[in-house]
Amino acid sequence: MSDNHETPSSLLTQCKKNLPEGWERMKVLYGRLILYWCKNAGLQENDRYDVYQDVMLTLVKNIHQFRKERPGDKFRKWLKTITHSRISDFFRKQQQQPILKDMAEFSEREAIRNTREAEEVEILFQQLFQLLKSHFDAKTLEAFRLMNRPGSTSEEVGKELGMTAVAVRAAKKRVMDRIRKDYGDLL
């Protein structure tokens, strides 16, 4: 089947081809994360949505510039850079600067950076699960989620969900395969 008749499954490919369903999935997957970054930068709620719109516009115009050329290249990092740039633009337009009051505040911000990174990943995966609900039943997704807890075994998860260990591992693989196929270039 030709590309003109087949919808590409990769979210990045859909967005690069400017397909509406791709952009809708992009908003679901990354919208809350963009707003989270705006909130952490100190923007008021109304201003967050203005910056969000600027980020999405920048993303639409520049999606073709994202490339994974090196192992460390991550879409989320690229998107965060765009978001921080739009936040800086907002503060410049307002003739404001996010000012650190002293070194103690700087140290505090540095100390919570790792916590924020974990929160960012959690937001991203919550949104990813919303998108995956249309492809998998709840038990399969729950098996995948539980298998990603530190120290979980397929036997323990199977017992908890009333599944065999083999079925749990198969569920995890099916979900991972779908994530890699549809979102692997963006996560």
PDB file of all heavy atoms in Angstrom, residues 127-163:
ATOM      1  N   GLN A 127      -0.145  10.383  30.129  1.00  0.00           N
ATOM      2  CA  GLN A 127      -0.750  10.758  28.849  1.00  0.00           C
ATOM      3  C   GLN A 127      -0.593   9.633  27.824  1.00  0.00           C
ATOM      4  O   GLN A 127      -1.494   9.369  27.040  1.00  0.00           O
ATOM      5  CB  GLN A 127      -0.138  12.054  28.336  1.00  0.00           C
ATOM      6  CG  GLN A 127      -0.400  13.251  29.244  1.00  0.00           C
ATOM      7  CD  GLN A 127      -1.859  13.391  29.612  1.00  0.00           C
ATOM      8  OE1 GLN A 127      -2.231  13.186  30.752  1.00  0.00           O
ATOM      9  NE2 GLN A 127      -2.698  13.731  28.661  1.00  0.00           N
ATOM     10  N   LEU A 128       0.537   8.981  27.839  1.00  0.00           N
ATOM     11  CA  LEU A 128       0.758   7.844  26.937  1.00  0.00           C
ATOM     12  C   LEU A 128      -0.274   6.758  27.205  1.00  0.00           C
ATOM     13  O   LEU A 128      -0.843   6.187  26.275  1.00  0.00           O
ATOM     14  CB  LEU A 128       2.178   7.308  27.098  1.00  0.00           C
ATOM     15  CG  LEU A 128       2.560   6.116  26.226  1.00  0.00           C
ATOM     16  CD1 LEU A 128       2.447   6.463  24.748  1.00  0.00           C
ATOM     17  CD2 LEU A 128       3.983   5.673  26.553  1.00  0.00           C
ATOM     18  N   PHE A 129      -0.551   6.478  28.477  1.00  0.00           N
ATOM     19  CA  PHE A 129      -1.552   5.470  28.816  1.00  0.00           C
ATOM     20  C   PHE A 129      -2.925   5.865  28.295  1.00  0.00           C
ATOM     21  O   PHE A 129      -3.695   5.000  27.870  1.00  0.00           O
ATOM     22  CB  PHE A 129      -1.587   5.221  30.326  1.00  0.00           C
ATOM     23  CG  PHE A 129      -0.707   4.079  30.733  1.00  0.00           C
ATOM     24  CD1 PHE A 129       0.674   4.227  30.766  1.00  0.00           C
ATOM     25  CD2 PHE A 129      -1.242   2.848  31.050  1.00  0.00           C
ATOM     26  CE1 PHE A 129       1.497   3.182  31.114  1.00  0.00           C
ATOM     27  CE2 PHE A 129      -0.429   1.788  31.408  1.00  0.00           C
ATOM     28  CZ  PHE A 129       0.944   1.950  31.441  1.00  0.00           C
ATOM     29  N   GLN A 130      -3.244   7.151  28.312  1.00  0.00           N
ATOM     30  CA  GLN A 130      -4.520   7.601  27.756  1.00  0.00           C
ATOM     31  C   GLN A 130      -4.612   7.239  26.275  1.00  0.00           C
ATOM     32  O   GLN A 130      -5.644   6.793  25.792  1.00  0.00           O
ATOM     33  CB  GLN A 130      -4.695   9.109  27.943  1.00  0.00           C
ATOM     34  CG  GLN A 130      -4.899   9.539  29.367  1.00  0.00           C
ATOM     35  CD  GLN A 130      -6.125   8.899  29.987  1.00  0.00           C
ATOM     36  OE1 GLN A 130      -7.193   8.831  29.381  1.00  0.00           O
ATOM     37  NE2 GLN A 130      -5.965   8.380  31.184  1.00  0.00           N
ATOM     38  N   LEU A 131      -3.505   7.431  25.572  1.00  0.00           N
ATOM     39  CA  LEU A 131      -3.480   7.116  24.142  1.00  0.00           C
ATOM     40  C   LEU A 131      -3.519   5.610  23.888  1.00  0.00           C
ATOM     41  O   LEU A 131      -4.085   5.160  22.895  1.00  0.00           O
ATOM     42  CB  LEU A 131      -2.239   7.729  23.491  1.00  0.00           C
ATOM     43  CG  LEU A 131      -2.226   9.253  23.439  1.00  0.00           C
ATOM     44  CD1 LEU A 131      -0.836   9.764  23.066  1.00  0.00           C
ATOM     45  CD2 LEU A 131      -3.266   9.765  22.456  1.00  0.00           C
ATOM     46  N   LEU A 132      -2.931   4.825  24.773  1.00  0.00           N
ATOM     47  CA  LEU A 132      -2.872   3.376  24.587  1.00  0.00           C
ATOM     48  C   LEU A 132      -4.193   2.683  24.905  1.00  0.00           C
ATOM     49  O   LEU A 132      -4.423   1.556  24.476  1.00  0.00           O
ATOM     50  CB  LEU A 132      -1.755   2.774  25.439  1.00  0.00           C
ATOM     51  CG  LEU A 132      -0.333   3.118  25.015  1.00  0.00           C
ATOM     52  CD1 LEU A 132       0.668   2.644  26.057  1.00  0.00           C
ATOM     53  CD2 LEU A 132      -0.011   2.533  23.648  1.00  0.00           C
ATOM     54  N   LYS A 133      -5.079   3.366  25.644  1.00  0.00           N
ATOM     55  CA  LYS A 133      -6.359   2.755  26.025  1.00  0.00           C
ATOM     56  C   LYS A 133      -7.187   2.320  24.817  1.00  0.00           C
ATOM     57  O   LYS A 133      -7.975   1.388  24.920  1.00  0.00           O
ATOM     58  CB  LYS A 133      -7.177   3.715  26.894  1.00  0.00           C
ATOM     59  CG  LYS A 133      -6.705   3.775  28.317  1.00  0.00           C
ATOM     60  CD  LYS A 133      -7.590   4.712  29.126  1.00  0.00           C
ATOM     61  CE  LYS A 133      -7.135   4.753  30.568  1.00  0.00           C
ATOM     62  NZ  LYS A 133      -7.953   5.680  31.369  1.00  0.00           N
ATOM     63  N   SER A 134      -6.999   2.982  23.706  1.00  0.00           N
ATOM     64  CA  SER A 134      -7.778   2.610  22.520  1.00  0.00           C
ATOM     65  C   SER A 134      -7.209   1.370  21.822  1.00  0.00           C
ATOM     66  O   SER A 134      -7.838   0.828  20.929  1.00  0.00           O
ATOM     67  CB  SER A 134      -7.841   3.778  21.539  1.00  0.00           C
ATOM     68  OG  SER A 134      -6.543   4.071  21.039  1.00  0.00           O
ATOM     69  N   HIS A 135      -6.044   0.912  22.252  1.00  0.00           N
ATOM     70  CA  HIS A 135      -5.404  -0.241  21.612  1.00  0.00           C
ATOM     71  C   HIS A 135      -5.363  -1.497  22.480  1.00  0.00           C
ATOM     72  O   HIS A 135      -5.162  -2.591  21.960  1.00  0.00           O
ATOM     73  CB  HIS A 135      -3.962   0.110  21.216  1.00  0.00           C
ATOM     74  CG  HIS A 135      -3.869   1.243  20.262  1.00  0.00           C
ATOM     75  ND1 HIS A 135      -4.229   1.134  18.936  1.00  0.00           N
ATOM     76  CD2 HIS A 135      -3.491   2.531  20.446  1.00  0.00           C
ATOM     77  CE1 HIS A 135      -4.052   2.297  18.336  1.00  0.00           C
ATOM     78  NE2 HIS A 135      -3.614   3.169  19.226  1.00  0.00           N
ATOM     79  N   PHE A 136      -5.515  -1.332  23.788  1.00  0.00           N
ATOM     80  CA  PHE A 136      -5.383  -2.464  24.701  1.00  0.00           C
ATOM     81  C   PHE A 136      -6.477  -2.444  25.750  1.00  0.00           C
ATOM     82  O   PHE A 136      -6.971  -1.383  26.131  1.00  0.00           O
ATOM     83  CB  PHE A 136      -4.018  -2.409  25.425  1.00  0.00           C
ATOM     84  CG  PHE A 136      -2.847  -2.492  24.504  1.00  0.00           C
ATOM     85  CD1 PHE A 136      -2.148  -1.346  24.147  1.00  0.00           C
ATOM     86  CD2 PHE A 136      -2.436  -3.708  23.987  1.00  0.00           C
ATOM     87  CE1 PHE A 136      -1.061  -1.408  23.297  1.00  0.00           C
ATOM     88  CE2 PHE A 136      -1.349  -3.781  23.135  1.00  0.00           C
ATOM     89  CZ  PHE A 136      -0.662  -2.637  22.781  1.00  0.00           C
ATOM     90  N   ASP A 137      -6.812  -3.648  26.249  1.00  0.00           N
ATOM     91  CA  ASP A 137      -7.773  -3.711  27.347  1.00  0.00           C
ATOM     92  C   ASP A 137      -7.080  -3.290  28.641  1.00  0.00           C
ATOM     93  O   ASP A 137      -5.855  -3.245  28.736  1.00  0.00           O
ATOM     94  CB  ASP A 137      -8.402  -5.100  27.466  1.00  0.00           C
ATOM     95  CG  ASP A 137      -7.384  -6.184  27.788  1.00  0.00           C
ATOM     96  OD1 ASP A 137      -6.691  -6.059  28.821  1.00  0.00           O
ATOM     97  OD2 ASP A 137      -7.298  -7.162  27.028  1.00  0.00           O
ATOM     98  N   ALA A 138      -7.891  -2.987  29.640  1.00  0.00           N
ATOM     99  CA  ALA A 138      -7.384  -2.450  30.901  1.00  0.00           C
ATOM    100  C   ALA A 138      -6.429  -3.425  31.604  1.00  0.00           C
ATOM    101  O   ALA A 138      -5.427  -3.011  32.182  1.00  0.00           O
ATOM    102  CB  ALA A 138      -8.545  -2.099  31.823  1.00  0.00           C
ATOM    103  N   LYS A 139      -6.710  -4.711  31.520  1.00  0.00           N
ATOM    104  CA  LYS A 139      -5.874  -5.708  32.201  1.00  0.00           C
ATOM    105  C   LYS A 139      -4.480  -5.775  31.580  1.00  0.00           C
ATOM    106  O   LYS A 139      -3.482  -5.889  32.287  1.00  0.00           O
ATOM    107  CB  LYS A 139      -6.551  -7.079  32.153  1.00  0.00           C
ATOM    108  CG  LYS A 139      -6.025  -8.061  33.154  1.00  0.00           C
ATOM    109  CD  LYS A 139      -6.885  -9.325  33.140  1.00  0.00           C
ATOM    110  CE  LYS A 139      -6.698 -10.130  34.382  1.00  0.00           C
ATOM    111  NZ  LYS A 139      -7.544 -11.322  34.399  1.00  0.00           N
ATOM    112  N   THR A 140      -4.406  -5.679  30.270  1.00  0.00           N
ATOM    113  CA  THR A 140      -3.116  -5.691  29.580  1.00  0.00           C
ATOM    114  C   THR A 140      -2.291  -4.476  29.985  1.00  0.00           C
ATOM    115  O   THR A 140      -1.101  -4.590  30.286  1.00  0.00           O
ATOM    116  CB  THR A 140      -3.316  -5.716  28.049  1.00  0.00           C
ATOM    117  OG1 THR A 140      -4.020  -6.917  27.706  1.00  0.00           O
ATOM    118  CG2 THR A 140      -2.006  -5.657  27.301  1.00  0.00           C
ATOM    119  N   LEU A 141      -2.933  -3.308  30.007  1.00  0.00           N
ATOM    120  CA  LEU A 141      -2.222  -2.087  30.409  1.00  0.00           C
ATOM    121  C   LEU A 141      -1.799  -2.141  31.871  1.00  0.00           C
ATOM    122  O   LEU A 141      -0.712  -1.692  32.234  1.00  0.00           O
ATOM    123  CB  LEU A 141      -3.077  -0.849  30.143  1.00  0.00           C
ATOM    124  CG  LEU A 141      -3.222  -0.467  28.680  1.00  0.00           C
ATOM    125  CD1 LEU A 141      -4.214   0.679  28.525  1.00  0.00           C
ATOM    126  CD2 LEU A 141      -1.883  -0.104  28.076  1.00  0.00           C
ATOM    127  N   GLU A 142      -2.646  -2.709  32.716  1.00  0.00           N
ATOM    128  CA  GLU A 142      -2.293  -2.815  34.131  1.00  0.00           C
ATOM    129  C   GLU A 142      -1.118  -3.780  34.314  1.00  0.00           C
ATOM    130  O   GLU A 142      -0.213  -3.518  35.115  1.00  0.00           O
ATOM    131  CB  GLU A 142      -3.506  -3.278  34.955  1.00  0.00           C
ATOM    132  CG  GLU A 142      -3.264  -3.316  36.434  1.00  0.00           C
ATOM    133  CD  GLU A 142      -2.968  -1.963  37.075  1.00  0.00           C
ATOM    134  OE1 GLU A 142      -3.025  -0.910  36.408  1.00  0.00           O
ATOM    135  OE2 GLU A 142      -2.657  -1.952  38.278  1.00  0.00           O
ATOM    136  N   ALA A 143      -1.096  -4.858  33.563  1.00  0.00           N
ATOM    137  CA  ALA A 143       0.041  -5.792  33.626  1.00  0.00           C
ATOM    138  C   ALA A 143       1.322  -5.080  33.210  1.00  0.00           C
ATOM    139  O   ALA A 143       2.368  -5.219  33.858  1.00  0.00           O
ATOM    140  CB  ALA A 143      -0.219  -7.009  32.735  1.00  0.00           C
ATOM    141  N   PHE A 144       1.247  -4.291  32.155  1.00  0.00           N
ATOM    142  CA  PHE A 144       2.413  -3.527  31.702  1.00  0.00           C
ATOM    143  C   PHE A 144       2.874  -2.557  32.785  1.00  0.00           C
ATOM    144  O   PHE A 144       4.057  -2.473  33.119  1.00  0.00           O
ATOM    145  CB  PHE A 144       2.072  -2.772  30.418  1.00  0.00           C
ATOM    146  CG  PHE A 144       3.173  -1.857  29.963  1.00  0.00           C
ATOM    147  CD1 PHE A 144       4.272  -2.359  29.299  1.00  0.00           C
ATOM    148  CD2 PHE A 144       3.104  -0.492  30.207  1.00  0.00           C
ATOM    149  CE1 PHE A 144       5.298  -1.528  28.891  1.00  0.00           C
ATOM    150  CE2 PHE A 144       4.130   0.347  29.794  1.00  0.00           C
ATOM    151  CZ  PHE A 144       5.225  -0.172  29.136  1.00  0.00           C
ATOM    152  N   ARG A 145       1.930  -1.821  33.364  1.00  0.00           N
ATOM    153  CA  ARG A 145       2.267  -0.837  34.395  1.00  0.00           C
ATOM    154  C   ARG A 145       2.913  -1.509  35.606  1.00  0.00           C
ATOM    155  O   ARG A 145       3.955  -1.068  36.093  1.00  0.00           O
ATOM    156  CB  ARG A 145       1.012  -0.082  34.829  1.00  0.00           C
ATOM    157  CG  ARG A 145       1.295   1.075  35.780  1.00  0.00           C
ATOM    158  CD  ARG A 145       0.025   1.723  36.305  1.00  0.00           C
ATOM    159  NE  ARG A 145      -0.703   0.874  37.221  1.00  0.00           N
ATOM    160  CZ  ARG A 145      -0.356   0.681  38.501  1.00  0.00           C
ATOM    161  NH1 ARG A 145       0.714   1.254  38.986  1.00  0.00           N
ATOM    162  NH2 ARG A 145      -1.072  -0.098  39.280  1.00  0.00           N
ATOM    163  N   LEU A 146       2.313  -2.598  36.065  1.00  0.00           N
ATOM    164  CA  LEU A 146       2.843  -3.287  37.238  1.00  0.00           C
ATOM    165  C   LEU A 146       4.205  -3.916  36.972  1.00  0.00           C
ATOM    166  O   LEU A 146       5.052  -3.980  37.854  1.00  0.00           O
ATOM    167  CB  LEU A 146       1.849  -4.351  37.719  1.00  0.00           C
ATOM    168  CG  LEU A 146       0.530  -3.802  38.283  1.00  0.00           C
ATOM    169  CD1 LEU A 146      -0.427  -4.951  38.595  1.00  0.00           C
ATOM    170  CD2 LEU A 146       0.765  -2.942  39.506  1.00  0.00           C
ATOM    171  N   MET A 147       4.428  -4.367  35.761  1.00  0.00           N
ATOM    172  CA  MET A 147       5.724  -4.962  35.422  1.00  0.00           C
ATOM    173  C   MET A 147       6.829  -3.917  35.382  1.00  0.00           C
ATOM    174  O   MET A 147       8.005  -4.255  35.435  1.00  0.00           O
ATOM    175  CB  MET A 147       5.658  -5.698  34.074  1.00  0.00           C
ATOM    176  CG  MET A 147       5.023  -7.060  34.161  1.00  0.00           C
ATOM    177  SD  MET A 147       5.929  -8.188  35.239  1.00  0.00           S
ATOM    178  CE  MET A 147       7.468  -8.363  34.340  1.00  0.00           C
ATOM    179  N   ASN A 148       6.463  -2.664  35.311  1.00  0.00           N
ATOM    180  CA  ASN A 148       7.459  -1.598  35.280  1.00  0.00           C
ATOM    181  C   ASN A 148       7.750  -1.016  36.658  1.00  0.00           C
ATOM    182  O   ASN A 148       8.507  -0.058  36.778  1.00  0.00           O
ATOM    183  CB  ASN A 148       7.038  -0.504  34.290  1.00  0.00           C
ATOM    184  CG  ASN A 148       7.281  -0.957  32.876  1.00  0.00           C
ATOM    185  OD1 ASN A 148       8.411  -1.125  32.455  1.00  0.00           O
ATOM    186  ND2 ASN A 148       6.209  -1.220  32.152  1.00  0.00           N
ATOM    187  N   ARG A 149       7.163  -1.597  37.687  1.00  0.00           N
ATOM    188  CA  ARG A 149       7.521  -1.228  39.057  1.00  0.00           C
ATOM    189  C   ARG A 149       8.865  -1.867  39.372  1.00  0.00           C
ATOM    190  O   ARG A 149       9.115  -3.014  38.983  1.00  0.00           O
ATOM    191  CB  ARG A 149       6.508  -1.759  40.065  1.00  0.00           C
ATOM    192  CG  ARG A 149       5.189  -1.082  40.080  1.00  0.00           C
ATOM    193  CD  ARG A 149       4.322  -1.597  41.207  1.00  0.00           C
ATOM    194  NE  ARG A 149       4.238  -3.059  41.171  1.00  0.00           N
ATOM    195  CZ  ARG A 149       3.329  -3.776  41.810  1.00  0.00           C
ATOM    196  NH1 ARG A 149       2.424  -3.189  42.551  1.00  0.00           N
ATOM    197  NH2 ARG A 149       3.310  -5.089  41.731  1.00  0.00           N
ATOM    198  N   PRO A 150       9.721  -1.176  40.075  1.00  0.00           N
ATOM    199  CA  PRO A 150      11.012  -1.770  40.440  1.00  0.00           C
ATOM    200  C   PRO A 150      10.815  -3.053  41.245  1.00  0.00           C
ATOM    201  O   PRO A 150      10.024  -3.101  42.173  1.00  0.00           O
ATOM    202  CB  PRO A 150      11.686  -0.693  41.296  1.00  0.00           C
ATOM    203  CG  PRO A 150      11.011   0.587  40.897  1.00  0.00           C
ATOM    204  CD  PRO A 150       9.607   0.211  40.525  1.00  0.00           C
ATOM    205  N   GLY A 151      11.504  -4.108  40.823  1.00  0.00           N
ATOM    206  CA  GLY A 151      11.485  -5.373  41.542  1.00  0.00           C
ATOM    207  C   GLY A 151      10.306  -6.277  41.246  1.00  0.00           C
ATOM    208  O   GLY A 151      10.201  -7.348  41.827  1.00  0.00           O
ATOM    209  N   SER A 152       9.396  -5.869  40.372  1.00  0.00           N
ATOM    210  CA  SER A 152       8.234  -6.705  40.064  1.00  0.00           C
ATOM    211  C   SER A 152       8.644  -7.910  39.234  1.00  0.00           C
ATOM    212  O   SER A 152       9.497  -7.812  38.356  1.00  0.00           O
ATOM    213  CB  SER A 152       7.186  -5.912  39.284  1.00  0.00           C
ATOM    214  OG  SER A 152       6.584  -4.956  40.093  1.00  0.00           O
ATOM    215  N   THR A 153       7.996  -9.020  39.505  1.00  0.00           N
ATOM    216  CA  THR A 153       8.205 -10.225  38.679  1.00  0.00           C
ATOM    217  C   THR A 153       6.898 -10.558  37.985  1.00  0.00           C
ATOM    218  O   THR A 153       5.813 -10.203  38.450  1.00  0.00           O
ATOM    219  CB  THR A 153       8.649 -11.427  39.538  1.00  0.00           C
ATOM    220  OG1 THR A 153       7.565 -11.803  40.404  1.00  0.00           O
ATOM    221  CG2 THR A 153       9.904 -11.107  40.342  1.00  0.00           C
ATOM    222  N   SER A 154       7.005 -11.255  36.886  1.00  0.00           N
ATOM    223  CA  SER A 154       5.798 -11.636  36.149  1.00  0.00           C
ATOM    224  C   SER A 154       4.932 -12.580  36.975  1.00  0.00           C
ATOM    225  O   SER A 154       3.706 -12.561  36.860  1.00  0.00           O
ATOM    226  CB  SER A 154       6.162 -12.253  34.797  1.00  0.00           C
ATOM    227  OG  SER A 154       7.044 -13.339  34.965  1.00  0.00           O
ATOM    228  N   GLU A 155       5.554 -13.368  37.826  1.00  0.00           N
ATOM    229  CA  GLU A 155       4.788 -14.272  38.685  1.00  0.00           C
ATOM    230  C   GLU A 155       3.940 -13.482  39.689  1.00  0.00           C
ATOM    231  O   GLU A 155       2.755 -13.768  39.884  1.00  0.00           O
ATOM    232  CB  GLU A 155       5.726 -15.246  39.431  1.00  0.00           C
ATOM    233  CG  GLU A 155       6.385 -16.276  38.548  1.00  0.00           C
ATOM    234  CD  GLU A 155       7.565 -15.746  37.723  1.00  0.00           C
ATOM    235  OE1 GLU A 155       8.073 -14.629  38.005  1.00  0.00           O
ATOM    236  OE2 GLU A 155       7.956 -16.435  36.767  1.00  0.00           O
ATOM    237  N   GLU A 156       4.558 -12.468  40.331  1.00  0.00           N
ATOM    238  CA  GLU A 156       3.832 -11.648  41.302  1.00  0.00           C
ATOM    239  C   GLU A 156       2.700 -10.871  40.632  1.00  0.00           C
ATOM    240  O   GLU A 156       1.580 -10.825  41.142  1.00  0.00           O
ATOM    241  CB  GLU A 156       4.778 -10.645  41.967  1.00  0.00           C
ATOM    242  CG  GLU A 156       5.826 -11.268  42.854  1.00  0.00           C
ATOM    243  CD  GLU A 156       6.914 -10.271  43.257  1.00  0.00           C
ATOM    244  OE1 GLU A 156       7.039  -9.195  42.638  1.00  0.00           O
ATOM    245  OE2 GLU A 156       7.640 -10.603  44.196  1.00  0.00           O
ATOM    246  N   VAL A 157       2.993 -10.276  39.494  1.00  0.00           N
ATOM    247  CA  VAL A 157       1.980  -9.497  38.772  1.00  0.00           C
ATOM    248  C   VAL A 157       0.856 -10.416  38.298  1.00  0.00           C
ATOM    249  O   VAL A 157      -0.326 -10.074  38.411  1.00  0.00           O
ATOM    250  CB  VAL A 157       2.610  -8.721  37.597  1.00  0.00           C
ATOM    251  CG1 VAL A 157       1.541  -8.079  36.731  1.00  0.00           C
ATOM    252  CG2 VAL A 157       3.583  -7.670  38.119  1.00  0.00           C
ATOM    253  N   GLY A 158       1.222 -11.582  37.803  1.00  0.00           N
ATOM    254  CA  GLY A 158       0.210 -12.549  37.353  1.00  0.00           C
ATOM    255  C   GLY A 158      -0.726 -12.946  38.476  1.00  0.00           C
ATOM    256  O   GLY A 158      -1.955 -13.006  38.298  1.00  0.00           O
ATOM    257  N   LYS A 159      -0.149 -13.209  39.629  1.00  0.00           N
ATOM    258  CA  LYS A 159      -0.964 -13.587  40.791  1.00  0.00           C
ATOM    259  C   LYS A 159      -1.907 -12.446  41.159  1.00  0.00           C
ATOM    260  O   LYS A 159      -3.083 -12.660  41.433  1.00  0.00           O
ATOM    261  CB  LYS A 159      -0.056 -13.926  41.970  1.00  0.00           C
ATOM    262  CG  LYS A 159      -0.797 -14.492  43.167  1.00  0.00           C
ATOM    263  CD  LYS A 159       0.159 -14.856  44.284  1.00  0.00           C
ATOM    264  CE  LYS A 159       0.602 -16.293  44.050  1.00  0.00           C
ATOM    265  NZ  LYS A 159       1.390 -16.820  45.195  1.00  0.00           N
ATOM    266  N   GLU A 160      -1.389 -11.226  41.136  1.00  0.00           N
ATOM    267  CA  GLU A 160      -2.195 -10.044  41.487  1.00  0.00           C
ATOM    268  C   GLU A 160      -3.351  -9.822  40.515  1.00  0.00           C
ATOM    269  O   GLU A 160      -4.437  -9.407  40.907  1.00  0.00           O
ATOM    270  CB  GLU A 160      -1.283  -8.811  41.516  1.00  0.00           C
ATOM    271  CG  GLU A 160      -1.923  -7.575  42.063  1.00  0.00           C
ATOM    272  CD  GLU A 160      -0.935  -6.428  42.213  1.00  0.00           C
ATOM    273  OE1 GLU A 160       0.278  -6.666  42.406  1.00  0.00           O
ATOM    274  OE2 GLU A 160      -1.386  -5.278  42.143  1.00  0.00           O
ATOM    275  N   LEU A 161      -3.111 -10.135  39.226  1.00  0.00           N
ATOM    276  CA  LEU A 161      -4.122  -9.865  38.192  1.00  0.00           C
ATOM    277  C   LEU A 161      -4.892 -11.102  37.748  1.00  0.00           C
ATOM    278  O   LEU A 161      -5.763 -11.006  36.881  1.00  0.00           O
ATOM    279  CB  LEU A 161      -3.452  -9.217  36.969  1.00  0.00           C
ATOM    280  CG  LEU A 161      -2.828  -7.851  37.190  1.00  0.00           C
ATOM    281  CD1 LEU A 161      -2.140  -7.374  35.919  1.00  0.00           C
ATOM    282  CD2 LEU A 161      -3.872  -6.844  37.632  1.00  0.00           C
ATOM    283  N   GLY A 162      -4.549 -12.262  38.302  1.00  0.00           N
ATOM    284  CA  GLY A 162      -5.223 -13.489  37.882  1.00  0.00           C
ATOM    285  C   GLY A 162      -4.803 -13.924  36.485  1.00  0.00           C
ATOM    286  O   GLY A 162      -5.623 -14.402  35.706  1.00  0.00           O
ATOM    287  N   MET A 163      -3.533 -13.730  36.168  1.00  0.00           N
ATOM    288  CA  MET A 163      -2.976 -14.090  34.863  1.00  0.00           C
ATOM    289  C   MET A 163      -1.787 -15.027  35.084  1.00  0.00           C
ATOM    290  O   MET A 163      -1.210 -15.044  36.173  1.00  0.00           O
ATOM    291  CB  MET A 163      -2.487 -12.840  34.112  1.00  0.00           C
ATOM    292  CG  MET A 163      -3.541 -11.815  33.803  1.00  0.00           C
ATOM    293  SD  MET A 163      -2.836 -10.230  33.196  1.00  0.00           S
ATOM    294  CE  MET A 163      -2.197 -10.682  31.590  1.00  0.00           C
TER     295      MET A 163
END
